[in-house]
Amino acid sequence: MSDEAKIQQHDGTSWLYSDIVKDHFFNPRNVMPAGKEDEYQADGMGRVGSPACGDEMVIWIKIDPKTQKIVDCKWQTFGCGSAIASTSMLSEMLLENGGMTLDEAVKIKPQDIMERLGGLPARKVHCSVLGDQALQKAIEDYRNKLQS
Ligand code: FES
């Protein structure tokens, strides 16, 4: 099957999950270990709940103050497998190539995460929004702290 056909197969019209989604679900990257939240000493933290399903997502970020790049991030969720896979992918996107700048990170859209995942079933799109919203709040938290 061509890559294009595979993406079409995962374009949200079915319940099929791409191999990339499955990989991130079974081996999630950058998860915050339980009980390590305080010692992590994040520069910014964002917590959101999903009105669609009631699940919750938290993201912690560390920022290099000189470059304004995200040098590390961790996350936790009580969400479903799609939320886990989406936020795991998001965390990789933030950290690849030496870390994304905050200005780049605020421009990330759930659609960008879904493209990297090879699509999500339509009923699971709201799950990828959760990580993105938590990230935006974490960036806001960091910027608010700088001003205070
Ligand atoms: Fe709640 Fe996916 S169903 S995050």
Side-chain angles (χ1 to χ4, degrees):
M1 194 187 296
S2 70
D3 285 349
E4 197 182 333
K6 276 186 200 154
I7 288 175
Q8 278 173 1
Q9 197 182 10
H10 300 297
D11 66 355
T13 57
S14 76
W15 278 101
L16 290 173
Y17 289 98
S18 72
D19 289 341
I20 307 171
V21 171
K22 286 185 221 162
D23 175 36
H24 279 266
F25 172 58
F26 289 116
N27 305 292
R29 281 65 145 180
N30 304 305
V31 175
M32 173 68 82
K36 299 286 180 190
E37 298 85 346
D38 289 343
E39 73 185 63
Y40 183 68
Q41 297 191 329
D43 297 313
M45 190 268 272
R47 180 188 301 270
V48 290
S50 166
C53 64
D55 287 327
E56 194 177 79
M57 175 73 66
V58 191
I59 291 187
W60 294 264
I61 52 175
K62 285 191 181 176
I63 312 295
D64 179 333
K66 285 201 193 103
T67 61
Q68 291 292 291
K69 284 185 175 182
I70 297 174
V71 290
D72 198 41
C73 70
K74 294 276 183 276
W75 57 274
Q76 270 176 3
T77 188
F78 298 114
C80 68
S82 296
I84 291 169
S86 302
T87 313
S88 172
M89 175 57 86
L90 172 63
S91 71
E92 282 207 330
M93 291 164 69
L94 294 176
L95 299 179
E96 64 195 2
N97 304 320
M100 205 176 260
T101 64
L102 292 177
D103 287 345
E104 289 167 336
V106 291
K107 291 186 197 139
I108 294 181
K109 300 269 176 296
Q111 187 61 34
D112 302 326
I113 305 168
M114 283 205 295
E115 269 170 32
R116 289 283 298 264
L117 287 172
L120 277 176
R123 290 191 202 177
K124 290 290 170 185
V125 170
H126 72 268
C127 314
S128 66
V129 174
L130 220 47
D132 180 59
Q133 288 180 340
L135 170 66
Q136 302 306 329
K137 280 207 165 180
I139 294 171
E140 211 178 286
D141 179 44
Y142 169 71
R143 287 182 163 164
N144 287 342
K145 278 185 198 155
L146 277 188
Q147 285 166 4
S148 57

